[in-house]
C-alpha cells in the first residue's frame, strides 16, 4: 500500500489533494484536527492532517471503495458534512454511469418510462431494478410490452417495495406527538393541521408545547393556531420547563411538541434536543422534510436523527415540486414510511394522510405524456 500524509485548511481541501494523487479509490487511514503554533503563541490556526493510502482496486465499479472519516473526527465540525455531500455525489455519479450502461440494452419503448422516473428523481438503483424487471418479463414472454403493461409492472414493483413500510397518520395510541425537522420546512403549520384534525374529527383534547424559543415569531405563530383551536400552549426553554409543561397539560389527550427549526446537519443541534426533550415518554416522533430541499441534504438530516426513534416521515411543500422520487429513495433506504404530505398553507385542509398506492400513482403520473 502506498501511503502519504496531507495537511490542508479543511477536510474538503485535503480530500481534493488525496484524489489528485490516488483517485477515488483512496483509503483515509487517519484524520486529525491540528493547530499551528502561530505568532508568539497567538493567532493559532486549525488545519486538517490526513494520512491516505492506496491499494490496487479489487472491487467492481458498482462497489467503489469510498473515503471515510475516523470516528474521532467525523462529527467535530462542518467539514464532515461537506465530505458526506461529496460522497453522496460520487456514489450518485457512479450509479448513473452504471444505469446508463444498463439502459442501453433495453428496448426503445421502455425508455420513456425510465426517463420519466429519472425526471422524478428516483434513484438509479430503483430505476435499474424496474427496467430489469420489465426486460426480464419481456424475455420470458418473448414479446414487447405496451406502455400500459409496463406501467402495471412498474406499479407492482413499487408496491412490493413500499407495502411493508408504515404509512398513515397519528396512531392516537400515544399521548405525545413530537415533530422534528430543520428550519424552513413548515413544522408549526403542519402541527396545526394535524392537531386541528385530531380536535375536529377525533374529538381529542389537545395541547401544545413549543421548544422553538430561538424565534419569537415561531412562538406567536403557534399561539395563534392554539387560540383558534382553544388549546393551551406551554413554552419550554430548558428541560425543567419541559417537565413543568408536561405536568400542566396532564389532562390533555394529545400533546403536540413543536421543536426548534435548526440546521440539523450539525450534530450539536441534534444533541441539544436530547437534553431538552424527554424521549422516554409515551411518544410518536415524526421527521418533517421539505420536498423542495436537495436530496443529499435530506439524507444527511435523516442520518443525524438516526439516534431517535422516528416513526414516519412527513413531507411538506409537495405543491412546490414536480419531482417526488427522493421521497421514495429516503423511504426505501431507511425503511421508514410516511405519515402525511402537505400541499399548501391552509389549515387544516392542505394535508393528506399518506398511503403508498396514492404516492405511487403520483410518481407514475404523466409517464407517457408526449
Amino acid at each position: 500500500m502506498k501511503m502519504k500524509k496531507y495537511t490542508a485548511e479543511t477536510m474538503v481541501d485535503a480530500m481534493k489533494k488525496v484524489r489528485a494523487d490516488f483517485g477515488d479509490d483512496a483509503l483515509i487511514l487517519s484524520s486529525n484536527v491540528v493547530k499551528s503554533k502561530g505568532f508568539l503563541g497567538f493567532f493559532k490556526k486549525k488545519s486538517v492532517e490526513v494520512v491516505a493510502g492506496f491499494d490496487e482496486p479489487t472491487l467492481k465499479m458498482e462497489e467503489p471503495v469510498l473515503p471515510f472519516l475516523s470516528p474521532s473526527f467525523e462529527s467535530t465540525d462542518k467539514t464532515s458534512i461537506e465530505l458526506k455531500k461529496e460522497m453522496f455525489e460520487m456514489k450518485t455519479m457512479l450509479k448513473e454511469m452504471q444505469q446508463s450502461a444498463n439502459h442501453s440494452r433495453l428496448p426503445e419503448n421502455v425508455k420513456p418510462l425510465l426517463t420519466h422516473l429519472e425526471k422524478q428523481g428516483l434513484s438509479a438503483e430503483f430505476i435499474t431494478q424496474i427496467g430489469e424487471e420489465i426486460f426480464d418479463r419481456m424475455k420470458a414472454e418473448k414479446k414487447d410490452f405496451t406502455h400500459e403493461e409496463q406501467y402495471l409492472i412498474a406499479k407492482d414493483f413499487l408496491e412490493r417495495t413500499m407495502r411493508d413500510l408504515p404509512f398513515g397518520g397519528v396512531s392516537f395510541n400515544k399521548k405525545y406527538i413530537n415533530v422534528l425537522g430543520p428550519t424552513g420546512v413548515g413544522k408549526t403549520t403542519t402541527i396545526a393541521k394535524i392537531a386541528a384534525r385530531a380536535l375536529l374529527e377525533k374529538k381529542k383534547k389537545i395541547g401544545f408545547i413549543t421548544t422553538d424559543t430561538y424565534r419569537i415569531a415561531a412562538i406567536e405563530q403557534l399561539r395563534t393556531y392554539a387560540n383558534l383551536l382553544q388549546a393551551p400552549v406551554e413554552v419550554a426553554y430548558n428541560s425543567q420547563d419541559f417537565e413543568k409543561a408536561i405536568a400542566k397539560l396532564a389532562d390533555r389527550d394529545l400533546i403536540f411538541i413543536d421543536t426548534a427549526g435548526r440546521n440539523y446537519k450539525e450534530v450539536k443541534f441534534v444533541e441539544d434536543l436530547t437534553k431538552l426533550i424527554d424521549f422516554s415518554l409515551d411518544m410518536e416522533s415524526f421527521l418533517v422534510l421539505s420536498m423542495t430541499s436537495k436530496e443529499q441534504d435530506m439524507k444527511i438530516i435523516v442520518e443525524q436523527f438516526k439516534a431517535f426513534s422516528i416513526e414516519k416521515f412527513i413531507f411538506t411543500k409537495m405543491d412546490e415540486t414536480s419531482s417526488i422520487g427522493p421521497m421514495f429513495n429516503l423511504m426505501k433506504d431507511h425503511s421508514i414510511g410516511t405519515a402525511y404530505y402537505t400541499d399548501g398553507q391552509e389549515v387544516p385542509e392542505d394535508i393528506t394522510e399518506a398511503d403508498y398506492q396514492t404516492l405511487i400513482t403520483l410518481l407514475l403520473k404523466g409517464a407517457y405524456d408526449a
Side-chain angles (χ1 to χ4, degrees):
M1 173 182 282
K2 295 180 180 179
M3 296 174 60
K4 188 175 179 180
K5 182 186 289 186
Y6 298 85
T7 303
E9 290 186 4
T10 68
M11 178 59 79
V12 175
D13 294 332
M15 292 307 302
K16 288 179 181 177
K17 293 181 179 180
V18 172
R19 276 200 294 274
D21 287 348
F22 293 135
D24 293 332
D25 289 335
L27 294 173
I28 305 304
L29 304 177
S30 67
S31 57
N32 296 287
V33 177
V34 295
K35 291 183 178 180
S36 61
K37 293 182 179 180
F39 178 69
L40 298 177
F42 296 99
F43 307 111
K44 293 182 179 180
K45 289 185 178 181
K46 285 186 178 180
S47 60
V48 176
E49 189 176 86
V50 171
V51 176
F54 176 76
D55 273 329
E56 289 298 321
T58 57
L59 298 179
K60 299 177 182 178
M61 187 182 76
E62 62 267 24
E63 298 175 353
V65 180
L66 294 170
F68 60 92
L69 290 173
S70 64
S72 62
F73 181 83
E74 187 169 6
S75 62
T76 56
D77 61 27
K78 294 180 182 179
T79 58
S80 65
I81 302 302
E82 296 302 320
L83 184 58
K84 286 179 182 179
K85 282 187 178 182
E86 288 193 7
M87 290 171 67
F88 175 83
E89 290 166 359
M90 196 185 308
K91 288 178 181 178
T92 301
M93 180 184 68
L94 289 169
K95 286 181 179 179
E96 285 175 351
M97 290 169 61
Q98 183 66 42
Q99 176 186 331
S100 297
N102 291 338
H103 289 185
S104 63
R105 68 190 185 91
L106 297 176
E108 284 297 320
N109 75 330
V110 179
K111 292 181 181 178
L113 172 61
L114 304 186
T115 299
H116 170 79
L117 295 176
E118 288 175 0
K119 290 179 179 178
Q120 282 288 327
L122 202 65
S123 71
E125 180 184 6
F126 240 143
I127 295 172
T128 298
Q129 288 173 338
I130 292 170
E132 290 293 329
E133 179 140 338
I134 294 172
F135 187 48
D136 289 344
R137 292 274 293 274
M138 283 183 174
K139 287 193 298 182
E141 299 186 26
K142 297 179 180 179
K143 68 169 189 175
D144 284 342
F145 287 160
T146 65
H147 287 168
E148 290 75 17
E149 289 172 317
Q150 295 173 31
Y151 177 97
L152 291 174
I153 293 171
K155 182 172 179 288
D156 178 66
F157 177 87
L158 289 163
E159 286 180 348
R160 282 186 276 117
T161 305
M162 293 287 121
R163 66 188 174 198
D164 291 332
L165 299 180
F167 284 86
V170 172
S171 68
F172 298 103
N173 294 326
K174 297 186 177 181
K175 187 181 181 74
Y176 302 96
I177 311 300
N178 189 32
V179 182
L180 306 162
T183 185
V185 298
K187 288 193 305 299
T188 304
T189 303
T190 300
I191 284 176
K193 293 174 180 178
I194 301 171
R197 291 195 170 189
L199 174 68
L200 300 173
E201 297 174 10
K202 301 294 183 179
K203 311 302 180 186
K204 298 291 185 180
K205 291 173 63 178
I206 62 173
F208 298 94
I209 298 175
T210 179
T211 66
D212 192 356
T213 57
Y214 300 95
R215 297 179 301 131
I216 295 175
I219 297 175
E220 293 309 311
Q221 182 185 16
L222 185 61
R223 286 192 192 280
T224 299
Y225 288 133
N227 289 337
L228 290 172
L229 298 173
Q230 298 183 329
V233 180
E234 297 295 329
V235 180
Y237 292 90
N238 51 49
S239 58
Q240 291 76 23
D241 289 340
F242 187 82
E243 290 176 6
K244 292 175 184 176
I246 292 296
K248 287 182 180 179
L249 299 175
D251 66 326
R252 302 284 106 179
D253 298 320
L254 290 175
I255 299 174
F256 292 87
I257 303 169
D258 187 10
T259 57
R262 306 301 298 273
N263 179 12
Y264 288 118
K265 289 185 290 182
E266 295 189 36
V267 175
K268 173 186 181 297
F269 296 127
V270 179
E271 292 174 344
D272 287 345
L273 281 175
T274 62
K275 298 173 184 176
L276 178 58
I277 296 172
D278 183 0
F279 284 90
S280 68
L281 294 169
D282 186 31
M283 179 182 292
E284 283 184 285
S285 292
F286 299 91
L287 180 58
V288 183
L289 299 168
S290 168
M291 289 304 299
T292 60
S293 300
K294 293 180 181 178
E295 183 176 354
Q296 57 264 45
D297 291 337
M298 290 194 284
K299 281 181 176 286
I300 292 170
I301 290 166
V302 176
E303 287 291 332
Q304 299 289 59
F305 279 94
K306 266 190 171 179
F308 301 92
S309 179
I310 301 298
E311 304 284 340
K312 297 166 193 167
F313 294 124
I314 297 174
F315 290 100
T316 60
K317 305 185 182 182
M318 285 274 282
D319 55 319
E320 298 180 29
T321 184
S322 58
S323 56
I324 63 171
M327 174 193 298
F328 286 82
N329 302 339
L330 288 169
M331 288 191 289
K332 180 177 181 289
D333 290 347
H334 297 279
S335 298
I336 297 174
T338 297
Y340 304 95
Y341 56 91
T342 73
D343 54 3
Q345 294 295 312
E346 294 298 320
V347 177
E349 293 88 351
D350 295 335
I351 188 169
T352 302
E353 193 167 330
D355 66 83
Y356 66 88
Q357 293 97 334
T358 301
L359 291 175
I360 290 169
T361 299
L362 290 173
L363 178 72
L364 294 174
K365 184 179 179 181
Y368 299 109
D369 290 351

